Amino acid sequence: MKYKKLLSHKDEHGHFDDLIKTDRKLHEWMRREICVFRKCHLPEKRAEKLKDIGLLSAEELENYKSNKPESNYDQRMNNQWNARFNELWAYTLKTGKKIVDKHDNYPLAQWIGNQRAVYRDGNMCQERIHKLKEIGMLTPPARTKKVKVKKKEINWCMRYNQLVEYKKEKGHCRISKEAYPGLNKWANRQTKKFREGSLSDDKAAKLKEIGYLTEEKCKPKEDQDMVDLKCYKLLVDYKNVHGDCKVPQENTTLSKWVHTQRNKQRKGNLSDEMYSKLEEIGFVWNLFEEKWNAGYTDLMHFKQEHGHCLVPVSYKPCPNLRKWVGYQRTKYRQGILSAIHKTQLDDLGFVWDVGVPSSTVKKEGTS
């Protein structure tokens, strides 16, 4: 393995000058091999491989082969190998296993793992290959794949544990959106998935077990067309009682639905059928424009009666008209009055500069 990496580095760069920077461990291994060679302890086969990649010259290799002193190193290595092999053979006869359990004999398990690595690299002699194959130890053990837990599953478990703790602390699963926005959003998503049938059975069972998925939440969500029809009928009833469709925010459900219809109409997503129905009952699509038109109508009546547009501070017939007029002047000075509204006021003979100090423009209310 190390030699192959060294060979690929040589093929790519043509030298080993920058090896210490690119792969420090490989550089240390290379130096160790050369050091063992200098001590005359490196097997000739490995020395030839070092010569093939240019780490040794042909002359150095020839001198190594001819002048290698007599040493007991190789014999000692063979004796150690044979001792380990005999230990391995005894282990297989005793246990009947083809895999050495590291808990039984860690050094032996490490040794056989190293032998398999040497065999895969093609550096093992035929005699040793034959011995290890004879007892079935050159076949690497089947590796059990680690089960990777997806990040989504980890996050789900974390949120579920938070919900369990919330239930223990509060005694219920009605999660406050203001105090726990993240947990509230996650819990609502689980409810939606359950209604859609995309929540797994085990997750649904866990949520039911702690009392989050109640019978009410388990009911399928009402069809949007049915919701629109129901809210439209409520709006008609409101119109019959109050005379208009300006639903106050206190009426939360109907007010939200009315606001949604205005947004849909503005984006072009409202169906023609619903648009026609709302038009029939006098639905106000633009509250700001409707309020402005009401103020303009009051000013027009004032002009018809008094002949000018200078509304006094205390005008009892329409107390809010003076404020509305001042608001238009302020918007004009700040350059945010629409051209259409300015033209309409100019046609009426509106006086823009009456020495009134400027004030901050406030947004006109919407329901």
Side-chain angles (χ1 to χ4, degrees):
M1 293 292 287
K2 294 287 186 183
Y3 178 78
K4 286 182 180 178
K5 289 179 70 175
L6 200 62
L7 185 62
S8 63
H9 183 90
K10 176 68 180 295
D11 293 340
E12 184 178 351
H13 301 276
H15 55 78
F16 301 108
D17 297 342
D18 60 344
L19 182 61
I20 190 171
K21 296 179 181 178
T22 57
D23 195 333
R24 192 176 187 86
K25 289 185 178 180
L26 186 60
H27 180 265
E28 290 175 357
W29 178 85
M30 181 184 74
R31 290 194 61 183
R32 280 198 303 271
E33 290 293 291
I34 295 174
C35 183
V36 173
F37 173 81
R38 301 295 180 206
K39 292 179 180 180
C40 297
H41 291 163
L42 192 71
E44 290 184 5
K45 190 174 182 180
R46 285 163 67 176
E48 288 175 358
K49 286 189 175 183
L50 294 182
K51 179 252 179 186
D52 291 341
I53 59 174
L55 287 175
L56 301 176
S57 65
E59 185 180 355
E60 284 179 313
L61 184 60
E62 286 299 322
N63 291 336
Y64 181 77
K65 289 180 179 179
S66 59
N67 301 324
K68 185 178 179 182
E70 290 295 323
S71 172
N72 292 327
Y73 177 77
D74 292 336
Q75 185 63 37
R76 192 166 65 250
M77 291 296 102
N78 284 329
N79 291 340
Q80 288 180 5
W81 193 94
N82 289 327
R84 280 294 185 194
F85 175 78
N86 292 333
E87 185 182 356
L88 178 65
W89 195 3
Y91 179 87
T92 56
L93 292 174
K94 181 180 178 181
T95 62
K97 295 179 180 179
K98 299 294 182 182
I99 301 171
V100 180
D101 191 341
K102 64 180 181 181
H103 299 292
D104 294 341
N105 191 332
Y106 182 77
L108 186 60
Q110 193 175 35
W111 180 82
I112 188 59
N114 291 337
Q115 299 311 304
R116 291 190 181 107
V118 172
Y119 172 71
R120 285 196 301 270
D121 293 343
N123 295 328
M124 184 176 285
C125 66
Q126 290 298 320
E127 182 185 356
R128 292 180 180 180
I129 292 173
H130 177 72
K131 283 185 176 182
L132 291 171
K133 278 188 174 180
E134 197 173 12
I135 60 173
M137 276 293 178
L138 274 187
T139 305
R143 294 183 179 180
T144 54
K145 291 185 178 180
K146 292 183 180 179
V147 179
K148 291 184 178 180
V149 181
K150 292 183 179 179
K151 190 176 179 180
K152 286 184 179 180
E153 294 298 319
I154 296 173
N155 291 339
W156 194 94
C157 292
M158 288 174 60
R159 286 297 188 188
Y160 174 77
N161 291 333
Q162 288 178 10
L163 183 59
V164 172
E165 292 300 320
Y166 183 91
K167 172 75 182 292
K168 287 180 181 178
E169 182 182 348
K170 306 290 184 181
H172 58 78
C173 294
R174 298 186 299 276
I175 305 162
S176 170
K177 186 177 181 180
E178 290 74 22
Y180 304 90
L183 185 59
N184 177 271
K185 187 176 180 180
W186 175 84
N188 289 336
R189 192 158 58 244
Q190 305 313 303
T191 305
K192 183 180 178 182
K193 284 185 176 181
F194 179 79
R195 287 172 175 167
E196 293 173 350
S198 58
L199 188 68
S200 63
D201 294 339
D202 58 328
K203 289 180 180 178
K206 286 184 177 182
L207 292 171
K208 285 180 181 179
E209 187 179 351
I210 62 172
Y212 175 73
L213 284 180
T214 58
E215 289 185 8
E216 183 180 349
K217 287 185 179 178
C218 291
K219 290 179 182 177
K221 196 173 182 181
E222 200 171 4
D223 185 73
Q224 188 59 45
D225 292 337
M226 295 296 294
V227 173
D228 288 342
L229 183 61
K230 186 188 292 186
C231 289
Y232 174 76
K233 289 179 179 178
L234 291 174
L235 184 61
V236 171
D237 294 339
Y238 181 90
K239 169 77 181 294
N240 294 335
V241 174
H242 299 89
D244 58 52
C245 297
K246 300 172 186 176
V247 184
Q249 291 183 353
E250 288 75 18
N251 192 337
T252 310
T253 303
L254 189 56
S255 175
K256 284 183 178 179
W257 183 82
V258 165
H259 181 69
T260 301
Q261 305 317 299
R262 290 194 180 103
N263 283 339
K264 283 184 176 181
Q265 194 273 338
R266 188 170 61 252
K267 295 176 183 178
N269 297 330
L270 189 67
S271 66
D272 295 337
E273 183 183 358
M274 182 56 68
Y275 180 82
S276 301
K277 284 183 177 182
L278 293 172
E279 279 286 303
E280 288 176 6
I281 61 173
F283 188 78
V284 178
W285 297 105
N286 191 324
L287 288 175
F288 171 78
E289 196 67 25
E290 197 266 348
K291 191 174 182 179
W292 193 92
N293 289 334
Y296 181 79
T297 302
D298 291 338
L299 182 61
M300 192 165 54
H301 292 157
F302 179 88
K303 171 74 181 292
Q304 290 173 356
E305 185 177 345
H306 299 90
H308 59 80
C309 295
L310 299 173
V311 183
V313 176
S314 56
Y315 181 58
K316 291 182 180 180
C318 187
N320 293 327
L321 183 58
R322 169 71 181 191
K323 188 185 291 185
W324 183 88
V325 167
Y327 183 65
Q328 306 313 306
R329 291 193 180 102
T330 303
K331 287 175 71 176
Y332 171 71
R333 283 196 298 272
Q334 295 183 354
I336 58 175
L337 184 69
S338 71
I340 297 174
H341 289 169
K342 185 179 182 303
T343 302
Q344 287 181 271
L345 291 170
D346 284 337
D347 293 342
L348 201 60
F350 191 79
V351 180
W352 296 105
D353 188 7
V354 291
V356 180
S358 63
S359 59
T360 305
V361 176
K362 297 178 180 179
K363 291 183 179 180
E364 294 181 355
T366 60
S367 65

